[in-house]
Amino acid sequence: MPTRNRPAITAPAEVIEQEEAEDELPGLQFNEPLSWRAGKPIPVAELLRRLQALARELKEMDQEEHDRSTFSEVAKELASPNLLAHKDKGVRAWTACSLVDILRLCAPDAPFTGTQLKDIFSLFVKSILPALSDPSNAYNSQHIYVLQSLSTIKSIVLLTDIPQSENLILDLFTSFFDITSGSTKSSTGEQLGKNVEHEMAAILVVLVDESTSLPSEVVDIIVAQFLRADPRVVSGNSSKNKKNGTVPVADERQSTLLMKELPPAYNMAKDICNSCPEKMTRYVSQYFNDVIMDASNSTVTDGTARRHSHRRASNDHADSDEEEDLPSGPSDDDLRELHKAHRLLRELWRASPPVLQNVIPQLQAELSAENVQLRLLAVETLGDIVSGIGAAGPPAPPVMDPSTYPTVSLSNAPDSLNTNNILTTPLSPQPFSQAHPTAYANLLGRKKDKSPVIRSAWTTAIGRILMTSAGGIGLSAHEEETLVTYLAGMLVDGDEKVRFAATKAVASFGFSDVINKLGSIGGISKPDSVLANLADRARDRKHGVRVAGMNTLARIWGVAAGEIAAGNETVSSIIGAAPSKIYDAFYANDLDIFVLLDHVSFELLLPISFPPIKPKGSKVTNGDSQRVKDSQTNGDAHPDSLDADKIRTARILHLVKDLDPKAKKAFFAMQARQVNVAKITTAFLKRCEEYNGGVMDENEADIKSHLTKLIEWFSKSMPDPVKVSTDLWKFAKMHDRRSYQLIKFCMAPESDYRTVQKAIKELTKRIENAPGNPVGLLDTITPLLYRVSLLVYNKSHVPAIVEYSRTDENGLASTAHEVLKEISTQTPEVFKVHVQELCKVLEEQAPSNGKSNEPGAVDTLKACAGFAQKFPKDIPRERKFLEALTNFAMYGTPPAAAKHAVTIIMATAEKKEMYAKDLLQKSIKNFAFGSSNFLARLAALSQLMLLAPKEVDEESEAVTDIAINQVLVQVRTPAGSEPQPEWEDDVDDECKAKIWALKILVNQLRSIEPDGIPEIQASVYKLLDRLIQDEGELSKRKDTPASHKSHLRLTAARLYLKLCVKKPYDELLTPTSFNHLATVAQDSHYPVRLSFLTQLKKYLGQNRLSHRFYAIVFLLAFEPADDLREDTLTWIRARSQFFALHKSTSMETLFARLLSLLAHHPDYSNTPEDLADFTKYILFYLNPVANAENLGLIYHIAQRVKQTRDAIDPSMSENLYYLSDLAQAVIRRYEEVHSWSMQTWPGKIGLPNTLFAKLPSHKVAQEIADKLWLPDEVVDRMDELVRVKTKTKKRKSDAHNDDQTKKKAKSSSTAAPKQKSLPIRKTTKPKTPKARKTKEVDAVPSSERRRSGRAAGKGKVYAEKDDEEDDQDMQMWDQPDKDEEASVAEEEEEVEEEAKPKAGTKKVNGNGKGRGGKKEAVEVVSDDDNEDDDDELSDPPDSD
């Protein structure tokens, strides 16, 4: 059918030809009247018949084949008001059909006047076309016919020629969009046909294309259709939101009600924009110009907008400071319009990017606006535009559920862009960075905006761009790496809002995106990567950021646990270290962190509900309801075939396996506290029952007093003591006996995992549904419930752990043995049920003369040995088992197996004397170095010396001869002329034999009474001291291999510590030997230092060593290994906090011992250079110990040292005086730096008489006191030395910001002189040794190093583990435990005493933080707080 076009100039020949043909063309045959005189109308039925006949005839006629002149009369009648305004719908419908055909046949010249055309189109626009909204209308087909004719013939173009037709055009657009949007509904609910929507869109496109200009209202209507994709539009139209001016937010709970496809009105507007891009570009630009520029102009003050640079300053200011003296900004009405306009921009980019060609520059200008709100809108909008996010907002983040089983695999992980909601599916028709490169570059430049609000929004935008791959367009490798690097930088921003936004941005990524995108620049172990910086947020100083960071990190690992367990190296390298970073936060000693760790451990890392399947053998009522599509199945076809306990155990073991030593210690400490917390909880529940909800018949005061003490104990372990106390009193007043029983189920060793899980679930529901709905009670109870429940060391897990230890499935045997040992040590009641099975395993694995045992047997023996010490009656005593143990003692490998076997025998055998003698004879008979299993025999002798001294006494000389003459003094592998490694992780048998020989001699001394044989005591101490002084050399020929000497020196030092745990043996250690021992802390080899200090701190933390040993740890001032130095500092702070809590001055009085130790230090000299260096030792002591309250006491002790002489070597007394003056000068300057006011110490402090002696006379004392010993050069440099060395270590985020502002360098005149090149004072990090045994460790010659230098690399220690830890585990069973021995019911006072502040309990101030608000390590020690046992020198009398 021909279409209507505007009149055009045609060739004259065609006109003449047309005129000739007109006489021959047939005309209209219809000749019935359609008009009538007033008062005599045509009946409606007759009129309808005539109109239908006319319409049918006109419909059949073609445009160029009929005489147009015959249409004139009919056209005139059809245009009469009688028909156009007829009250009957049918008359108007058939009239419209005829009119559109007349327009078609007479095109391009309509046979109507301008007024008639206006009336005709008024009929179309106001009556016929709006009726299309009701498809059930009787005349719907006529209405559609009119619509199709106007669209196809383009007769609608005549509307633009009608004068003052703006209102009709507006009405037409309004009507069409209302129809397609469903604003007018059909009576039957029938849907509008797609063909009708298409014809409507075509008509509107013609109008836009043919109109020279469109009314602004029409543009508003077109643009507004794009907001139909915004689910907030409906709520935004409510009177409430209009009244208060708030920006409505979509309700996430109604996500299922959101549209799943684009609205028809939206599609119509989209077709208009894409069909007429040039004109719509102009209209849209003008629309946004009116909105944006009006708002922007509101920032003008006094007619002039002040322009400032928005590049980020070097230091961040608060928001209030940033906007000081700036224009007030847009009004609330302007902001509402701006928000609406910017939401439209997002959707317009998704629908038709070309129409924003002129609007993007306006957005770009907003990026540099003075007002923060305008910049914020611009950043958010441009970020979403680049991401292809529309007005409906970003897609919902992918599900990251750590409790899902089977676990999600990387290859089939759900896509972040995979959404069923088309409105939230990111879509960018073209790459924004290429279409608008300048605007994109300016958007990236907002990374340095001075406002943290803008940087936060920018961070969110960058996260979305990465997550959506720029709206599905994709990013180049360079672009992606750049954006990921930017996101990593935001995680260490100086403002908490930015760090929080960056953390939440990372949380929005799915599993595959975390690995493939965020992990593209490195995993957790790579500094400055996204995940490494995210891990740092787990210890952020702001609680909100810390919670978000730790939860995000734990959730990622929880989802990735399946891939890690499956051996995916990529995933392991990227996220495998996450648990270590999380549990490292334990050492911050922050109560908030403790609670957070409780939640993270049992909700994300090891979810209580994992795996969400019924236990093996139980009825499955909901089959695969918990299974995730495309997840890993691990080869299991159905949940019926799965063992939930084994699956959970595997996750626990994989978690422990990937923990570094420090984090593993924290993890085990968290599990070990269950025992003590359970005791307190048992007492608490008993008191709650007696309290009876507040109704008591007798002993009311006593019951309340005891309950108050218990509640106070719980309160001090939580960050908000007041709230916790209130909540626990609420719990007591609830008096829900079922809740009491459920808590008992959670902590009972006989409860299996499912019982604990169901108890926690039921208790949670009971508290939530409790009468009165106690607000906040669940938040308090939950972490306490996690702490008291047996969720890891559960009896359901033990069989699976034993199985893993035997089969080494997935390489978990070593970890399984380690966990078994912890269970047997901490919760032996849980272990008791399965110890028989372990003993049977040992029987099966027992070695013989020609058969060796399995490698894992030693760990099983160790676990059983610990259990046997406390529960000897529960260990089998059958002859077969004891024979197996005897075989382990004789033939076990490694030698530690023999040691543990002897321990079990001596603890459980009824005829232990017989077995001891038998083992002794077998061990010494025909002993020869290098013979078969000679190391096992040495280990057995070592343990027999300790546990069966009476039986060994008869053969003690033979044993000693073996240890000394056949092993220790012999050098069978002499040092050659070629350089040899000074440290080897795996030493040869000769070195191992010498270590066991030393243990034989020391155990012999430990087994006799302290007042026993002096000769043995003297000889052993002399031997150990010689090994330390001579650096492990015993041979007169000095030909002991270097690696042997390092191990022997370490062993001697550790054995010294083991001896000194007993007071009489501690007294035998002379001050000179003590000073020699202290130098091991500065050994040249990192493994020696680490092992020695680990044992030293362990014994000190348990109060098993006298306080003088604390002085040794302060020698780490020059420790090159940052981890060791920082860990030690943290440990010292914790110990200082402990002593302060118990009102002890032990750490302060220790300062005198430290000065004495430094005075005898091998590197000490009175030169200014050395004295300047020694200030670092003093500062290393002051930093963790000194505070405003105790600084006066420390200063007093420094003064007292100058009033004595050296009792060790009087000739070295001047060293004390130099150090005394140096310490006083440093303390005074330290006081000034911290702006403290030091008070004079009013009391008198004595000094140890073993180190300090009285001066011979008052005259000598006066001369020493009057003399200034400190050189002037050191005094002049004191400000510099103290200022430089007391700088606090900044957090990573602070350091990151400081990099942006470079500090001016100090002038050369004030620069410190170059330090003396002594190895001890080198601060360079040690080199990491290679794994190869033959790699020589670089070491400074002893002539230069003396005993304190070190250049050995930091490396892992793979040498055979010393038995100190084993002995410690054994001794733990021997220590009396009053709470264990006395039942709670009978001796509850002891349990309540346990509830009092324990050693190692952090002092809590009002804000819930520790002393000084510093982050310290947690150290669990006993309550003993005895001062050193040395006699002390009292203060001398006054000089008067």
Side-chain angles (χ1 to χ4, degrees):
M1 185 177 290
T3 59
R4 173 174 294 275
N5 296 311
R6 290 186 180 276
I9 301 176
T10 57
E14 293 178 356
V15 175
I16 295 173
E17 187 176 332
Q18 181 178 356
E19 291 176 353
E20 294 176 351
E22 285 181 355
D23 296 336
E24 302 175 0
L25 295 176
L28 180 67
Q29 301 300 316
F30 180 83
N31 58 2
E32 297 182 72
L34 297 175
S35 59
W36 59 89
R37 293 191 300 274
K40 294 184 178 181
I42 302 174
V44 174
E46 177 61 21
L47 184 58
L48 284 173
R49 184 193 64 76
R50 296 178 186 180
L51 287 172
Q52 290 173 3
L54 174 61
R56 283 194 293 270
E57 183 178 355
L58 291 173
K59 185 177 181 181
E60 298 297 331
M61 301 176 70
D62 294 329
Q63 189 175 21
E64 302 295 338
E65 299 178 359
H66 295 82
D67 186 1
R68 297 182 182 183
S69 62
T70 59
F71 302 143
S72 300
E73 186 63 27
V74 173
K76 181 178 179 181
E77 291 181 335
L78 289 172
S80 67
N82 291 337
L83 292 179
L84 296 178
H86 200 282
K87 63 180 180 180
D88 186 79
K89 296 179 180 179
V91 172
R92 296 198 302 272
W94 285 107
T95 299
C97 290
S98 299
L99 284 170
V100 293
D101 279 334
I102 292 294
L103 292 175
R104 171 178 63 84
L105 295 171
C106 297
D109 299 317
F112 303 106
T113 64
T115 303
Q116 289 174 329
L117 280 175
K118 186 172 184 179
D119 293 339
I120 291 170
F121 277 97
S122 294
L123 170 67
F124 294 162
V125 172
K126 297 181 178 181
S127 178
I128 303 301
L129 297 179
L132 289 168
S133 63
D134 185 7
S136 63
N137 190 295
Y139 299 100
N140 187 60
S141 59
Q142 285 73 37
H143 300 157
I144 293 177
Y145 182 79
V146 173
L147 176 70
Q148 290 175 339
S149 179
L150 291 174
S151 171
T152 306
I153 307 303
K154 298 185 179 179
S155 302
I156 194 67
V157 76
L158 294 174
L159 182 59
T160 63
D161 296 333
I162 299 174
Q164 299 179 350
S165 61
E166 290 82 1
N167 289 336
L168 285 177
I169 294 176
L170 176 61
D171 290 343
L172 180 62
F173 275 85
T174 302
S175 177
F176 277 8
F177 282 119
D178 285 346
I179 293 171
T180 54
S181 66
S183 299
T184 53
K185 298 294 183 182
S186 160
S187 60
T188 61
E190 187 177 348
Q191 296 293 325
L192 198 66
K194 293 295 182 182
N195 61 323
V196 175
E197 296 176 4
H198 175 73
E199 301 296 350
M200 287 181 178
I203 289 175
L204 298 186
V205 168
V206 171
L207 281 176
V208 173
D209 191 41
E210 296 294 338
S211 298
T212 55
S213 64
L214 286 178
S216 60
E217 294 84 354
V218 172
V219 177
D220 291 347
I221 292 175
I222 296 174
V223 174
Q225 304 312 309
F226 293 100
L227 278 180
R228 295 187 183 277
D230 188 352
R232 293 167 290 193
V233 170
V234 176
S235 60
N237 290 331
S238 66
S239 58
K240 180 179 178 181
N241 285 327
K242 285 183 178 180
K243 185 175 181 180
N244 60 26
T246 59
V247 178
V249 180
D251 189 351
E252 294 180 356
R253 294 172 295 180
Q254 300 184 13
S255 60
T256 57
L257 303 179
L258 298 180
M259 293 171 283
K260 305 304 180 184
E261 60 181 11
L262 294 174
Y266 178 101
N267 285 328
M268 188 182 297
K270 178 179 177 181
D271 290 341
I272 294 173
C273 291
N274 288 329
S275 300
C276 311
E278 295 182 359
K279 287 197 172 184
M280 288 306 299
T281 297
R282 185 173 73 251
Y283 296 142
V284 171
S285 176
Q286 184 60 42
Y287 172 85
F288 285 103
N289 185 68
D290 294 341
V291 176
I292 297 176
M293 295 307 295
D294 287 349
S296 300
N297 289 337
S298 66
T299 63
V300 178
T301 303
D302 298 332
T304 303
R306 291 175 291 177
R307 302 184 180 275
H308 299 280
S309 171
H310 286 277
R311 299 190 68 82
R312 187 178 174 190
S314 58
N315 55 340
D316 292 330
H317 301 284
D319 293 343
S320 59
D321 295 334
E322 294 170 6
E323 310 309 326
E324 201 175 48
D325 298 330
L326 289 181
S328 60
S331 64
D332 292 341
D333 291 336
D334 291 332
L335 281 178
R336 282 196 296 272
E337 289 301 316
L338 278 173
H339 279 287
K340 174 183 174 182
H342 285 75
R343 293 202 306 275
L344 283 172
L345 285 176
R346 293 169 167 86
E347 205 59 47
L348 274 171
W349 177 264
R350 285 163 51 91
S352 180
V355 303
L356 297 182
Q357 190 68 33
N358 298 332
V359 179
I360 298 300
Q362 298 179 40
L363 271 179
Q364 181 180 337
E366 279 188 350
L367 289 173
S368 301
E370 295 287 346
N371 187 268
V372 174
Q373 294 169 317
L374 293 181
R375 295 207 311 280
L376 177 63
L377 271 176
V379 170
E380 293 175 338
T381 303
L382 281 175
D384 284 350
I385 286 176
V386 179
S387 303
I389 295 174
V399 177
M400 296 274 285
D401 186 3
S403 64
T404 300
Y405 188 84
T407 53
V408 178
S409 64
L410 184 60
S411 58
N412 295 321
D415 189 358
S416 300
L417 303 183
N418 186 16
T419 172
N420 295 324
N421 191 344
I422 192 173
L423 302 182
T424 58
T425 301
L427 174 65
S428 181
Q430 62 187 42
F432 183 87
S433 59
Q434 297 179 13
H436 303 279
T438 304
Y440 182 70
N442 288 342
L443 172 64
L444 297 184
R446 287 298 96 195
K447 180 173 76 79
K448 298 181 179 180
D449 197 285
K450 67 180 181 180
S451 170
V453 176
I454 304 301
R455 298 199 305 278
S456 299
W458 184 91
T459 301
T460 303
I462 293 302
R464 290 179 176 179
I465 294 173
L466 283 169
M467 181 185 66
T468 63
S469 294
I473 292 293
L475 295 167
S476 67
H478 175 70
E479 285 180 315
E480 183 173 290
E481 181 180 352
T482 299
L483 295 181
V484 172
T485 303
Y486 287 166
L487 181 59
M490 292 296 101
L491 282 166
V492 294
D493 189 272
D495 191 275
E496 64 174 300
K497 292 188 287 293
V498 182
R499 300 196 302 275
F500 182 80
T503 303
K504 300 302 289 184
V506 175
S508 67
F509 283 77
F511 174 47
S512 60
D513 285 343
V514 169
I515 302 302
N516 298 324
K517 293 180 181 179
L518 301 185
S520 61
I521 63 171
I524 286 183
S525 301
K526 182 178 180 181
D528 298 326
S529 67
V530 171
L531 295 174
N533 291 344
L534 176 65
D536 290 338
R537 302 286 63 75
R539 293 188 64 172
D540 197 278
R541 58 184 176 183
K542 298 296 183 179
H543 182 65
V545 182
R546 188 165 59 232
V547 171
M550 191 176 292
N551 282 333
T552 301
L553 192 65
R555 189 177 300 277
I556 293 172
W557 186 91
V559 174
E563 283 292 320
I564 294 174
N568 189 316
E569 293 296 334
T570 301
V571 177
S572 298
S573 63
I574 290 175
I575 198 65
S580 293
K581 298 295 183 180
I582 291 172
Y583 285 109
D584 278 348
F586 182 82
Y587 294 94
N589 200 22
D590 186 285
L591 296 178
D592 282 308
I593 291 182
F594 292 160
V595 174
L596 181 57
L597 281 172
D598 293 328
H599 286 284
V600 165
S601 295
F602 301 114
E603 293 171 8
L604 297 174
L605 294 175
L606 303 172
I608 295 177
S609 60
F610 177 83
I613 57 178
K614 294 292 182 67
K616 189 174 182 180
S618 64
K619 183 178 179 180
V620 180
T621 59
N622 196 19
D624 296 329
S625 62
Q626 298 288 348
R627 296 175 69 86
V628 178
K629 184 179 180 181
D630 294 333
S631 55
Q632 297 179 16
T633 62
N634 296 334
D636 295 316
H638 194 275
D640 285 335
S641 63
L642 301 176
D643 184 349
D645 292 330
K646 184 175 181 180
I647 293 170
R648 191 183 313 106
T649 301
R651 173 169 285 197
I652 294 173
L653 295 179
H654 278 293
L655 174 70
V656 176
K657 179 181 179 182
D658 291 338
L659 293 176
D660 60 35
K662 184 179 177 182
K664 189 179 296 183
K665 184 178 179 181
F667 177 81
F668 286 145
M670 290 179 63
Q671 313 313 316
R673 69 185 174 187
Q674 188 274 340
V675 177
N676 287 332
V677 178
K679 294 173 184 176
I680 307 302
T681 304
T682 301
F684 171 71
L685 295 179
K686 182 176 183 295
R687 290 301 182 186
C688 284
E689 291 177 352
E690 295 175 354
Y691 184 67
N692 196 30
V695 180
M696 292 155 283
D697 296 332
E698 56 184 8
N699 299 328
E700 179 176 349
D702 186 56
I703 293 173
K704 286 185 177 180
S705 175
H706 290 167
L707 190 57
T708 300
K709 292 179 182 179
L710 293 167
I711 290 178
E712 286 179 355
W713 187 90
F714 285 116
S715 300
K716 291 178 180 179
S717 66
M718 301 288 280
D720 190 348
V722 176
K723 178 182 180 300
V724 173
S725 178
T726 303
D727 289 341
L728 291 180
W729 277 111
K730 289 181 183 177
F731 180 77
K733 292 176 181 178
M734 286 170 55
H735 194 48
D736 184 2
R737 287 190 172 89
R738 177 59 180 170
S739 295
Y740 301 160
Q741 185 59 48
L742 291 173
I743 296 176
K744 292 177 182 178
F745 284 147
C746 291
M747 58 187 181
E750 58 271 14
S751 296
D752 61 13
Y753 188 86
R754 185 162 177 79
T755 300
V756 176
Q757 180 186 9
K758 292 171 66 176
I760 292 175
K761 185 176 181 180
E762 182 181 347
L763 180 62
T764 300
K765 289 183 177 179
R766 292 186 71 86
I767 294 177
E768 289 176 342
N769 301 326
N773 189 18
V775 180
L777 177 57
L778 188 60
D779 295 335
T780 297
I781 293 295
T782 299
L784 295 177
L785 195 59
Y786 288 158
R787 295 177 186 183
V788 78
S789 301
L790 285 168
L791 292 169
V792 176
Y793 295 168
N794 189 276
K795 77 172 191 176
S796 298
H797 298 155
V798 175
I801 297 175
V802 173
E803 180 181 348
Y804 278 112
S805 69
R806 295 178 59 185
T807 62
D808 196 23
E809 183 180 346
N810 297 326
L812 295 175
S814 176
T815 306
H817 283 299
E818 192 172 4
V819 175
L820 271 180
K821 176 230 172 186
E822 289 293 327
I823 295 177
S824 66
T825 303
Q826 303 298 337
T827 55
E829 294 82 1
V830 173
F831 190 76
K832 186 182 300 184
V833 181
H834 305 279
V835 71
Q836 299 286 341
E837 181 180 353
L838 283 180
C839 292
K840 290 181 180 180
V841 172
L842 291 176
E843 289 182 15
E844 298 172 0
Q845 297 180 350
S848 62
N849 193 18
K851 171 190 171 184
S852 60
N853 55 272
E854 295 184 6
V858 64
D859 296 304
T860 306
L861 283 166
K862 185 174 183 179
C864 291
F867 183 83
Q869 291 283 358
K870 190 168 188 180
F871 302 103
K873 295 182 180 180
D874 293 318
I875 297 291
R877 300 184 180 184
E878 290 83 359
R879 181 177 179 182
K880 184 178 179 181
F881 178 63
L882 292 175
E883 288 179 353
L885 292 177
T886 301
N887 288 338
F888 272 110
M890 291 294 97
Y891 311 112
T893 55
K899 169 192 167 182
H900 298 313
V902 172
T903 302
I904 299 174
I905 293 174
M906 299 309 298
T908 61
E910 294 180 353
K911 299 179 180 179
K912 59 184 67 178
E913 295 83 3
M914 181 190 71
Y915 281 100
K917 291 181 179 180
D918 181 54
L919 289 173
L920 177 62
Q921 294 300 325
K922 290 181 179 179
S923 298
I924 63 177
K925 183 178 180 181
N926 300 324
F927 179 88
F929 184 91
S931 61
S932 177
N933 303 305
F934 78 102
L935 289 177
R937 296 163 74 177
L938 286 174
L941 289 173
S942 170
Q943 202 67 357
L944 287 171
M945 274 287 194
L946 181 65
L947 302 178
K950 293 182 180 179
E951 289 74 14
V952 179
D953 185 59
E954 296 179 0
E955 301 289 346
S956 60
E957 293 185 3
V959 175
T960 305
D961 179 71
I962 291 175
I964 297 178
N965 297 326
Q966 297 189 44
V967 178
L968 275 177
V969 299
Q970 301 295 327
V971 179
R972 295 175 172 84
T973 311
S977 57
E978 297 181 359
Q980 294 181 340
E982 296 191 5
W983 177 266
E984 289 181 321
D985 295 327
D986 188 11
V987 295
D988 56 24
D989 287 348
E990 181 182 1
C991 185
K992 292 177 182 178
K994 290 183 177 182
I995 291 174
W996 283 111
L998 283 174
K999 293 176 182 178
I1000 290 174
L1001 299 177
V1002 172
N1003 284 347
Q1004 181 185 22
L1005 180 57
R1006 293 170 63 196
S1007 65
I1008 63 177
E1009 294 298 326
D1011 56 352
I1013 306 171
E1015 295 80 4
I1016 296 179
Q1017 297 173 349
S1019 61
V1020 171
Y1021 272 71
K1022 181 179 180 181
L1023 174 64
L1024 297 179
D1025 191 51
R1026 178 181 173 186
L1027 282 170
I1028 292 175
Q1029 284 194 74
D1030 295 344
E1031 298 187 353
E1033 183 62 78
L1034 281 177
S1035 173
K1036 295 180 179 180
R1037 298 190 300 271
K1038 308 295 183 183
D1039 57 352
T1040 303
S1043 61
H1044 289 195
K1045 292 193 295 183
S1046 297
H1047 281 277
L1048 292 175
R1049 174 175 164 87
L1050 171 61
T1051 302
R1054 289 170 61 93
L1055 291 175
Y1056 249 148
L1057 296 179
K1058 186 174 294 187
L1059 285 170
C1060 290
V1061 297
K1062 291 185 177 181
K1063 181 179 177 181
Y1065 291 137
D1066 181 33
E1067 294 174 349
L1068 293 177
L1069 183 64
T1070 64
T1072 301
S1073 297
F1074 178 86
N1075 292 341
H1076 296 160
L1077 176 64
T1079 61
V1080 180
Q1082 295 181 315
D1083 194 89
S1084 60
H1085 303 293
Y1086 174 77
V1088 175
R1089 304 195 304 274
L1090 177 63
S1091 179
F1092 173 70
L1093 288 166
T1094 300
Q1095 181 169 338
L1096 175 64
K1097 290 188 291 185
K1098 179 179 180 180
Y1099 283 175
L1100 286 172
Q1102 296 169 342
N1103 268 2
R1104 299 178 66 195
L1105 289 174
S1106 63
H1107 291 169
R1108 64 168 171 167
F1109 283 90
Y1110 278 100
I1112 298 177
V1113 298
F1114 293 104
L1115 294 184
L1116 267 68
F1118 291 94
E1119 171 60 46
D1122 293 340
D1123 291 344
L1124 179 56
R1125 184 178 64 254
E1126 294 302 322
D1127 288 348
T1128 302
L1129 265 178
T1130 304
W1131 180 84
I1132 294 172
R1133 290 191 183 99
R1135 301 304 300 144
S1136 299
Q1137 184 177 346
F1138 164 73
F1139 286 121
L1141 183 67
H1142 290 272
K1143 309 300 181 182
S1144 170
T1145 59
S1146 296
M1147 293 300 284
E1148 291 82 0
T1149 56
L1150 179 73
F1151 191 52
R1153 291 187 175 276
L1154 177 60
L1155 292 180
S1156 174
L1157 181 60
L1158 294 178
H1160 293 270
H1161 195 280
D1163 288 336
Y1164 178 82
S1165 72
N1166 295 330
T1167 62
E1169 293 80 4
D1170 279 350
L1171 289 173
D1173 284 343
F1174 269 60
T1175 59
K1176 189 167 184 177
Y1177 287 112
I1178 298 174
L1179 290 171
F1180 191 77
Y1181 167 85
L1182 292 176
N1183 283 330
V1185 175
N1187 54 56
E1189 289 76 21
N1190 66 5
L1191 191 65
L1193 173 56
I1194 298 173
Y1195 185 79
H1196 175 73
I1197 292 171
Q1199 291 177 317
R1200 286 281 289 114
V1201 169
K1202 198 174 179 181
Q1203 299 168 1
T1204 65
R1205 60 186 176 89
D1206 196 323
I1208 301 174
D1209 185 357
S1211 64
M1212 301 180 69
S1213 296
E1214 287 190 0
N1215 294 357
L1216 289 176
Y1217 308 148
Y1218 276 99
L1219 288 171
S1220 174
D1221 278 358
L1222 177 64
Q1224 293 177 55
V1226 171
I1227 292 172
R1228 286 193 297 268
R1229 181 55 191 152
Y1230 193 83
E1231 174 194 21
E1232 296 173 4
V1233 169
H1234 290 81
S1235 301
W1236 292 341
S1237 179
M1238 184 169 56
Q1239 302 297 321
T1240 303
W1241 184 255
K1244 295 184 177 181
I1245 295 295
L1247 302 182
N1249 61 5
T1250 56
L1251 303 179
F1252 304 97
K1254 295 182 179 179
L1255 292 171
S1257 65
H1258 175 72
K1259 179 180 179 182
V1260 174
Q1262 193 66 42
E1263 290 176 353
I1264 294 173
D1266 292 341
K1267 181 177 179 180
L1268 180 61
W1269 299 83
L1270 196 61
D1272 293 339
E1273 296 92 325
V1274 180
V1275 175
D1276 294 340
R1277 292 181 53 194
M1278 191 56 60
D1279 289 352
E1280 170 198 340
L1281 293 171
V1282 177
R1283 187 186 306 115
V1284 170
K1285 293 173 182 175
T1286 55
K1287 286 182 179 178
T1288 57
K1289 186 176 182 180
K1290 295 188 177 182
R1291 292 187 316 106
K1292 187 174 182 180
S1293 58
D1294 298 333
H1296 175 79
N1297 295 325
D1298 288 344
D1299 289 342
Q1300 300 178 23
T1301 56
K1302 303 295 184 181
K1303 295 184 178 181
K1304 294 182 179 180
K1306 295 182 179 180
S1307 61
S1308 58
S1309 60
T1310 60
K1314 187 176 181 180
Q1315 292 186 353
K1316 185 176 179 180
S1317 179
L1318 288 179
I1320 180 177
R1321 300 175 190 123
K1322 292 182 180 178
T1323 58
T1324 56
K1325 294 183 179 180
K1327 300 177 182 178
T1328 303
K1330 302 295 183 181
R1332 294 175 57 187
K1333 298 180 183 179
T1334 58
K1335 178 67 176 179
E1336 181 179 356
V1337 180
D1338 297 332
V1340 178
S1342 59
S1343 59
E1344 300 178 11
R1345 169 176 62 78
R1346 300 176 69 87
R1347 292 177 178 82
S1348 54
R1350 50 190 167 273
K1354 176 181 177 180
K1356 295 182 180 179
V1357 181
Y1358 296 98
E1360 182 181 348
K1361 185 177 176 182
D1362 186 86
D1363 66 339
E1364 180 277 325
E1365 292 187 8
D1366 302 332
D1367 289 344
Q1368 171 63 17
D1369 296 334
M1370 303 303 104
Q1371 291 171 10
M1372 288 180 64
W1373 303 105
D1374 298 330
Q1375 293 175 359
D1377 190 340
K1378 294 181 181 180
D1379 295 322
E1380 292 270 336
E1381 295 171 357
S1383 65
V1384 175
E1386 297 177 354
E1387 301 184 28
E1388 193 181 67
E1389 291 299 327
E1390 295 181 1
V1391 180
E1392 291 172 354
E1393 189 68 24
E1394 180 75 16
K1396 295 179 180 179
K1398 285 289 185 180
T1401 302
K1402 183 160 70 78
K1403 182 178 180 181
V1404 180
N1405 296 330
N1407 59 0
K1409 304 295 182 183
R1411 293 177 67 246
K1414 294 184 179 180
K1415 299 179 179 179
E1416 316 294 355
V1418 174
E1419 193 70 36
V1420 182
V1421 296
S1422 65
D1423 289 327
D1424 298 333
D1425 187 24
N1426 299 323
E1427 297 294 336
D1428 289 347
D1429 300 309
D1430 295 332
D1431 295 332
E1432 296 180 340
L1433 289 173
S1434 59
D1435 283 337
D1438 295 336
S1439 57
D1440 294 337

